[in-house]
Amino acid sequence: MFKWLKSGSPWIWLTGGAVSISLLSVLGLLLLIGWKGLSYFWPAPLYQWETKQGDLLIGQIYSQEYVPITHLTDMDIVLPEETVQRGLAKRVDIKVANRDLYDSDFVSLLELDLNSPVKPKEWAVIERTLGGDFFGKPVGYQLEDGRISQDLDKEIASGLAFSKVLRDEIDRLITQEIRVVSAQAERLRLEKRKRKLNDELDEAFLERYKSENGQYLAQLANAESMLDNLRSQLESQGLLVQDMTGQQVKIPLSQILDLWYPNQMSPVDKLIRWSKQAWKFLSDDPRESNSEGGVFPAMFGTVLMVLIMSIVVMPLGVIAAVYLHEYAKNNAFTRLIRVAVINLAGVPSIVYGVFGLGFFVYTLGGSIDSLFYQERLPAPTFGTPGLLWSALTLAVLTLPVVIVATEEGLSRIPSSVRHGSLALGATQFETMWRIVLPMASPAMITGLILAIARAAGEVAPLMLVGAVKLASSLPVDSQFPFLHLERKFMHLGFHIYDVGFQTTNIESARPLVYATSLLLVTVIIGLNLTAISIRNNLREKYRTLGQD
């Protein structure tokens, strides 16, 4: 036994077991998030119950749990003898939706208070722009002239196709006409104010301003009139639906996004519906205070911010590492820098957010506004949280990681390689640029991978320097300069925090938290895999130079 312990085998098994447990824990967490997130899009069946009081209940099973009898008896609830003997009672949480008609989206009842459920074929799930899903039985379709049609399948299909065309036209009017014209009118107004501040306002410009501004106002009025006409067409048609209380409700076509009968769907139909809902989640904008709809702006903002951060942090980190390892002498100043780099890696991320807000936003951004955007003041342009300051803040946060990883790569390159290059007549800069840095590039990419992994999941500093609950537009559009670094943006991590803790309907939004978490993990893995593939290619390319 003593010899076995002395041989070191127990520590090998202990290390292997710890690694296995860690991998299983990570895999289990990913499987949990994946299952909860992907099942969010699966079309769950609608059940119909009848309570002991004779009330009809229509909904989806949200969760089921067993409650100890003692908890129920303490509430003076009378239970059957067989339930008391079992010691547990089953409680069912049912999503009834229709939040604009009922007190809440969910009801919680004991299974013994409900009759056996059935699956009614004629009940549908209606996805709406406002108020969440609606569970009901379609009974008629109101046409534009006010007539009620009973040919539901045909009218619903044509109505949904018609509404999609109108919504696309509404989006086109808003993005390609109203926003463009509004931006042109704003630039003209700012030009007038700038000329006024510089005492360059003359009669010729005032005449041009009056003429062009009148044209912009006319174009905006025409576009607004077209918008009102399109919206009125959507409001004129609607679906008549009966809810579980027997009440008939008209849902305007403007609120209906989609409709399906879950109890009539085959497994193939459900898979198609699942794919469609997953795509809408990835490509649509959020609704209902982020608790409904998609996460495309948040996904786009996360990827764009990480890319900008990578472009900033890599040159800075590599230059700092090259200076410290190749040029700087081992003196007190160099040692102080190394200690500072090590300590910066342990600073809480929220401190970086405060630093970014104070230095980047208020100091640097305020100075840029006073120098180049005086005509916009007191409304700030760069003196307010935005995409650029978020990327710079995360670049400072991840800078120590890149410096340390690059230095490690530089230290592994044999001195003989440098001496051979210098002996052949190359300068120190040429040796560094053509020999050392290419050989150290896999280590640089390793630092980038670590930086991306940390930066993509940070939320606390972004809440101070640019991430918002809902952004009115993307940082990239068709207007010059196309990439708007001063705009605020949405972030997947902040979206998870907002939906999970700030929404008013947490039970309804909880599955969305898992779906967004799965997407964030997928985005980070995708960015890391891209960097890893680049690193592997560089390793193979410089293998003959002694890298491996």
Side-chain angles (χ1 to χ4, degrees), residues 235-308:
E235 290 289 340
S236 62
Q237 300 185 41
L239 182 65
L240 300 179
V241 184
Q242 176 182 319
D243 72 342
M244 64 184 185
T245 63
Q247 176 185 359
Q248 281 198 9
V249 180
K250 178 191 173 183
I251 304 178
L253 190 59
S254 60
Q255 295 185 15
I256 301 177
L257 292 174
D258 209 344
L259 180 147
W260 62 91
Y261 297 89
N263 297 334
Q264 298 181 15
M265 301 174 71
S266 65
V268 176
D269 295 333
K270 290 185 176 182
L271 183 60
I272 295 173
R273 169 61 54 184
W274 178 87
S275 303
K276 185 177 180 181
Q277 293 298 109
W279 172 249
K280 289 166 67 174
F281 173 74
L282 296 176
S283 59
D284 285 359
D285 293 339
R287 308 188 307 271
E288 291 287 313
S289 188
N290 287 342
S291 62
E292 302 281 348
V295 292
F296 176 75
M299 180 174 62
F300 185 88
T302 302
V303 174
L304 181 60
M305 183 208 63
V306 170
L307 291 178
I308 296 175

Side-chain angles (χ1 to χ4, degrees), residues 99-388:
R99 67 180 64 152
D100 50 342
L101 301 181
Y102 312 143
D103 295 334
S104 63
D105 275 0
F106 298 86
V107 295
S108 183
L109 296 171
L110 295 175
E111 189 179 46
L112 55 91
D113 293 331
L114 301 171
N115 292 334
S116 298
V118 296
K119 296 181 180 180
K121 300 290 186 181
E122 68 276 9
W123 286 78
V125 176
I126 303 170
E127 184 181 4
R128 299 185 296 177
T129 58
L130 298 173
D133 292 341
F134 192 98
F135 300 160
K137 180 171 68 174
V139 294
Y141 189 89
Q142 181 174 323
L143 301 174
E144 192 172 359
D145 56 6
R147 293 184 296 108
I148 305 298
S149 174
Q150 301 300 326
D151 191 359
L152 293 178
D153 293 339
K154 177 182 176 181
E155 296 297 344
I156 290 174
S158 61
L160 291 176
F162 177 67
S163 66
K164 185 179 185 307
V165 172
L166 291 187
R167 285 194 179 90
D168 291 341
E169 180 63 18
I170 289 173
D171 291 340
R172 188 196 66 81
L173 280 174
I174 294 176
T175 56
Q176 299 183 17
E177 293 192 22
I178 293 180
R179 287 184 181 174
V180 173
V181 175
S182 298
Q184 293 173 345
E186 178 65 12
R187 281 196 292 268
L188 184 63
R189 184 190 70 82
L190 293 175
E191 183 181 357
K192 178 184 176 182
R193 192 164 189 270
K194 185 175 182 179
R195 286 174 176 265
K196 186 177 181 180
L197 291 174
N198 297 331
D199 293 328
E200 298 176 354
L201 199 61
D202 52 17
E203 291 296 330
F205 177 79
L206 289 176
E207 287 294 328
R208 182 169 70 87
Y209 174 81
K210 184 177 180 180
S211 174
E212 292 184 5
N213 191 55
Q215 294 178 7
Y216 295 147
L217 292 178
Q219 293 178 20
L220 287 175
N222 182 51
E224 290 288 349
S225 176
M226 295 174 64
L227 272 182
D228 293 339
N229 181 43
L230 294 174
R231 287 168 177 163
S232 64
Q233 293 183 48
L234 285 175
E235 290 289 340
S236 62
Q237 300 185 41
L239 182 65
L240 300 179
V241 184
Q242 176 182 319
D243 72 342
M244 64 184 185
T245 63
Q247 176 185 359
Q248 281 198 9
V249 180
K250 178 191 173 183
I251 304 178
L253 190 59
S254 60
Q255 295 185 15
I256 301 177
L257 292 174
D258 209 344
L259 180 147
W260 62 91
Y261 297 89
N263 297 334
Q264 298 181 15
M265 301 174 71
S266 65
V268 176
D269 295 333
K270 290 185 176 182
L271 183 60
I272 295 173
R273 169 61 54 184
W274 178 87
S275 303
K276 185 177 180 181
Q277 293 298 109
W279 172 249
K280 289 166 67 174
F281 173 74
L282 296 176
S283 59
D284 285 359
D285 293 339
R287 308 188 307 271
E288 291 287 313
S289 188
N290 287 342
S291 62
E292 302 281 348
V295 292
F296 176 75
M299 180 174 62
F300 185 88
T302 302
V303 174
L304 181 60
M305 183 208 63
V306 170
L307 291 178
I308 296 175
M309 180 273 300
S310 303
I311 293 173
V312 173
V313 74
M314 279 302 292
L316 293 178
V318 170
I319 291 173
V322 168
Y323 170 76
L324 290 174
H325 191 273
E326 302 291 333
Y327 293 96
K329 297 181 180 179
N330 188 17
N331 50 32
F333 179 70
T334 305
R335 289 194 293 270
L336 180 63
I337 293 177
R338 294 183 186 278
V339 171
V341 169
I342 295 173
N343 289 334
L344 281 176
V347 174
S349 60
I350 190 65
V351 177
Y352 285 99
V354 174
F355 167 78
L357 182 65
F359 178 72
F360 290 132
V361 178
Y362 292 150
T363 302
L364 190 57
S367 301
I368 292 175
D369 283 349
S370 61
L371 289 175
F372 302 104
Y373 298 97
Q374 289 185 357
E375 68 276 8
R376 296 177 181 264
L377 295 176
T381 302
F382 281 93
T384 185
L387 176 63
L388 176 62

Side-chain angles (χ1 to χ4, degrees), residues 46 61 72 131 146 158 174 191 204 248 252 263 280 317 331 349 358 365 385 393 427 430 465 479 536:
L46 283 176
I61 296 178
L72 303 177
S158 61
I174 294 176
E191 183 181 357
Q248 281 198 9
N263 297 334
K280 289 166 67 174
N331 50 32
S349 60
T393 300
T427 63
E430 290 174 336
V465 291
Q479 302 176 26
N536 292 339

